[in-house]
Amino acid sequence: MKLWAVHTDNGVINYSFAYDANSNPTTIADDQRGGAYTRWMTYDGLDRLTGAGSGMFGGTDNWHRFTYNALDNITSWKLAGVKDYANYIYDASNRLTNIQNTTGASVVALSYDLQGNLQNKNGQSYYFDYGNRLRWANGQESYRYDTQGRRVTSYSPSPARIPILSLYAMDGKLMYTDDQRQGQTLAYLYLSGSQVARVRDANAPPSTPILTVPSSNVGGSYALTWSTTTATDYYMLEETTNGGTTWSTLYSGTATNAAVSGRAPGSYGYRIKACNARGCSGVSTTSTVQVLTAPTAAPTVSVPANTFTGTYTANWSLVSGAGRYELEESYNGGGWTQVYNGTGTAASFSSRAAGTYAYHARGCNAAGCGPFSGAATIQVIYMPNGTPTLTVPGSNTSGSYTATWTAVSAADRYELQESANGGAWSQVYSGGVTSTTFSGRTTGSYGYQVRACNAAGCGPYSATGTVSVVVTPAVPTLSGEGTKDWDTKPYPIVWAVSWSASQGATSYQLERQSGTTVTAVYTGPNTTFSENGSGTSSYSYHVRACSGSQCSAWSAWYAPPVN
C-alpha cells in the first residue's frame, strides 16, 4: 500500500504525514494553516484508535479518547469539557442501544425494528419498508423509490408537501433534480463514469438575504455579512450616505460578506438583494451603521440646592452622539469618584452623610468621552440631634447677667427662650453664637431653655436653667420736719419724714437716733412716717430700701428741722 508523505494543492492544502510501524497515521501536519490544525493519533495493540488530539478540537486538553470491548465495539468516547460519552451499551446482537455520561444519565437512546433498522433515536421515530428503505422520519420527511430502489421523491411537511424530484439514468447515475423547495433544478454531467459538473438553473428569483451590520463603529472600518440564499448567482450590496435618498452599489459578487473602510463619522445605510438569471429578490430592510466620534459637547447637570433627608436625584441633559454617560462625585471638596456609568440621564442617591456633594458628567460612546460638565453642588443637611448644655447664674442682684451654652454639631444657629416667674415661654435670642447677655431684669425668677437649629430644623430644647433675680434697691433720700405745738405745754413735737421710692423695693426700714440710742421705728411698704415726741426731743432718721432680704445701704442720718 502506498502511503502519503506529503499532500499539497497550491494555496489550498499542504499536509505532511507520519506513520507508526503498522502504517497507522500518527501525525497529519497542516502546513498550510499552522500547528493549531495539526492532528495526532494514538493506537492500541490491535490498531484501534485510542486518542486523537488537535488544537482545533477544543475542550480542556484538546484530545478525543476512545475505549473498546473484546468485540471491538467502542465503549467510551470523551473530549474533556465537551463530550462525555462514558458508557456505550449494546444488546445481544451487538447493536448500540444507549450511551450514558459519567453520572449514568442517558445521552443517546436507540431502538431497532425486527429487520435491524433504526426505529427510534432520542424520541425521533423512523420507518423502513421490507426492502430496508427509509420511508419516513416522523415529522421530518418522507421518501418514495422507483422499482430499482432509487429515491425519486422527498417530501417535507414544511413547506407542506413541496417535493424534491430525482431522475436517474439506466445505469443508476443521478442525472437531474427538481428541487421545488429551493426553486431550482440541477443537472449532473459525467465523464468516464465520474461526475465532473453540476448545472443549476433557477426557477424564480432568490429570496431576500438577511443583512447583518454593526450598529456602531469607531474608525470607519467594519464588516457586513448576509445570509446565504438558494438559487443565487450573485449578491448586490448597496450603500446610502443621505438617509436613502440615493443608493450606490458597494459590492456585487458571490461572497456573503463585504469589508468597508475609510468611512468618516456619520450614518451609513445598507441593503442587500440576491440575484440569478430569473431576476433579483427584493432588497432587505435598510440596516444602519453609525460611525462614531467622541462627543464634543458637555451635558448640563442639575441637583437640588439642598436636602434634609439624604435622598436626591442628579439629572443631566442629553449630548448629541453619546451612547452612555459617566457621572462623578466629589464629597466635601475631595477627589472625584465615578458613581454612574450607563445610558440614562439621571442617577438617584440615598442615605448620604451630611456634607457638600459636587457632581459633573460627560457623554461617551465607543469612540471615547467628551468634556465634563461644570459641577453642580448639593448640601446634605440633617437636623441637629444634639442638645446644648445651658449655663446661667443661679442668682443675681443686678438684673444683668449672661446665659451661655455648648455648641452642637451641624448647628448654624441657636434659639433661646425665657419664662418670667413661671409664665409662658418667649424667644429672646436667635443667632449663631453660644451666649447672650440680659440687663434690666427686675426681681423675680427667670427660666431659660435653648436648642440647636439649622436649615433642616431644630433639635430638642435643653434642660431649663433658672436665675433668681433679687435686685438691690437704690438708697432712698429722706426729707421731713418737726412741728412743735406752741399752744400746748410742754410743747410736744410731731416728727414727720418721707423718702423717695426706690425701684424694685418691696419694703423700707426706718431707724431713729436719739442721743446714742438707735431705734427701729418703721418697716413696711410706705414712704412716709410720723411720730410724736416731747418738746425737748431731738431726733435724726435714716432709711434703707429692701427687696426681700436684699436691702440697700442706709441713707445718711437726717435731722428734720423743727418749726
Side-chain angles (χ1 to χ4, degrees):
M1 181 177 64
K2 184 177 181 180
L3 301 177
W4 288 99
V6 176
H7 185 192
T8 62
D9 188 348
N10 187 32
V12 179
I13 60 173
N14 185 7
Y15 294 122
S16 56
F17 301 85
Y19 304 88
D20 63 15
N22 292 338
S23 299
N24 297 309
T26 57
T27 303
I28 303 175
D30 191 332
D31 299 322
Q32 179 70 31
R33 293 183 295 175
Y37 295 91
T38 294
R39 287 158 284 176
W40 295 270
M41 284 71 68
T42 61
Y43 304 87
D44 63 15
L46 298 178
D47 291 329
R48 296 177 299 196
L49 181 66
T50 57
S54 174
M56 64 182 172
F57 291 161
T60 58
D61 65 356
N62 308 115
W63 275 86
H64 289 272
R65 292 179 171 84
F66 310 91
T67 61
Y68 306 86
N69 62 19
L71 298 179
D72 290 337
N73 295 316
I74 187 170
T75 56
S76 70
W77 176 11
K78 294 184 179 181
L79 174 60
V82 177
K83 183 183 288 290
D84 184 18
Y85 285 4
N87 186 22
Y88 285 67
I89 300 173
Y90 299 85
D91 63 14
S93 300
N94 280 331
R95 293 179 299 196
L96 180 64
T97 59
N98 198 266
I99 302 175
Q100 299 174 337
N101 62 19
T102 302
T103 66
S106 179
V107 179
V108 178
L110 307 165
S111 64
Y112 304 86
D113 62 20
L114 294 175
Q115 296 163 248
N117 297 306
L118 180 65
Q119 190 175 54
N120 192 287
K121 178 180 179 180
N122 290 344
Q124 173 66 57
S125 59
Y126 303 89
Y127 174 74
F128 290 79
D129 61 19
Y130 289 114
N132 294 320
R133 294 170 297 199
L134 179 62
R135 285 294 186 173
W136 70 76
N138 189 36
Q140 300 296 320
E141 199 161 45
S142 60
Y143 308 99
R144 289 183 180 179
Y145 300 85
D146 62 15
T147 56
Q148 305 299 316
R150 297 170 297 201
R151 185 177 295 172
V152 294
T153 307
S154 299
Y155 291 101
S156 176
S158 179
R161 301 294 293 172
I162 297 178
I164 299 174
L165 305 176
S166 300
L167 179 66
Y168 298 85
M170 292 300 295
D171 60 1
K173 293 186 179 68
L174 178 63
M175 302 299 296
Y176 182 83
T177 298
D178 181 6
D179 187 346
Q180 297 180 22
R181 297 179 201 168
Q182 305 295 339
Q184 63 183 7
T185 59
L186 298 172
Y188 302 89
L189 305 179
Y190 297 86
L191 179 63
S192 300
S194 297
Q195 181 182 323
V196 294
R198 184 179 66 178
V199 179
R200 185 186 67 207
D201 184 20
N203 297 330
S207 58
T208 303
I210 298 173
L211 180 62
T212 302
V213 306
S215 60
S216 62
N217 171 264
V218 177
S221 297
Y222 44 91
L224 312 177
T225 62
W226 51 91
S227 61
T228 301
T229 55
T230 58
T232 298
D233 291 333
Y234 64 95
Y235 299 93
M236 184 175 291
L237 177 68
E238 296 179 320
E239 180 185 61
T240 180
T241 59
N242 53 21
T245 302
T246 58
W247 292 87
S248 60
T249 299
L250 183 66
Y251 172 81
S252 180
T254 59
T256 55
N257 59 82
V260 180
S261 62
R263 295 301 186 264
S267 181
Y268 298 84
Y270 298 93
R271 64 187 186 185
I272 188 75
K273 59 184 175 182
C275 302
N276 61 24
R278 303 290 183 178
C280 294
S281 69
V283 294
S284 65
T285 302
T286 300
S287 299
T288 302
V289 179
Q290 192 73 33
V291 177
L292 301 174
T293 184
T296 57
T300 299
V301 179
S302 62
V303 292
N306 53 51
T307 175
F308 305 142
T309 64
T311 298
Y312 54 93
T313 298
N315 297 277
W316 53 91
S317 59
L318 291 169
V319 172
S320 177
R324 63 180 179 86
Y325 297 89
E326 294 179 357
L327 180 70
E328 292 187 340
E329 174 188 80
S330 171
Y331 176 57
N332 286 338
W336 292 96
T337 302
Q338 188 176 107
V339 292
Y340 177 83
N341 187 335
T343 59
T345 56
S348 295
F349 303 90
S350 61
S351 302
R352 282 296 196 258
T356 301
Y357 294 82
Y359 295 92
H360 64 193
R362 63 180 178 179
C364 303
N365 58 28
C369 295
F372 274 109
S373 67
T377 302
I378 180 173
Q379 289 278 345
V380 177
I381 305 170
Y382 291 102
M383 183 176 68
N385 57 12
T387 302
T389 299
L390 177 65
T391 301
V392 294
S395 62
N396 176 265
T397 60
S398 67
S400 298
Y401 49 88
T402 298
T404 63
W405 52 90
T406 57
V408 172
S409 176
D412 58 14
R413 65 184 176 88
Y414 299 89
E415 293 180 355
L416 181 69
Q417 290 187 331
E418 178 186 69
S419 171
N421 296 318
W425 291 98
S426 61
Q427 185 170 295
V428 291
Y429 174 79
S430 178
V433 298
T434 56
S435 66
T436 188
T437 298
F438 298 93
S439 63
R441 293 302 189 263
T442 60
T443 297
S445 178
Y446 297 86
Y448 295 94
Q449 60 182 14
V450 67
R451 63 180 178 178
C453 303
N454 60 23
C458 295
Y461 276 108
S462 68
T464 300
T466 302
V467 182
S468 178
V469 178
V470 180
V471 178
T472 302
V475 177
T477 300
L478 271 171
S479 63
E481 64 182 0
T483 303
K484 182 176 284 194
D485 184 0
W486 295 103
D487 296 328
T488 305
K489 290 184 178 182
Y491 310 115
I493 300 174
V494 176
W495 299 95
V497 293
S498 62
W499 53 90
S500 61
S502 295
Q503 184 177 2
T506 58
S507 66
Y508 298 92
Q509 296 176 359
L510 181 69
E511 289 182 339
R512 179 189 67 217
Q513 184 180 40
S514 177
T516 61
T517 302
V518 176
T519 304
V521 294
Y522 176 77
T523 297
N526 298 326
T527 57
T528 62
F529 174 78
S530 65
E531 65 176 343
N532 297 321
S534 66
T536 60
S537 61
S538 177
Y539 295 156
S540 295
Y541 297 90
H542 68 182
V543 68
R544 67 179 179 179
C546 295
S547 177
S549 62
Q550 190 71 29
C551 297
S552 68
W554 291 97
S555 67
W557 288 102
Y558 171 71
V562 177
N563 296 320

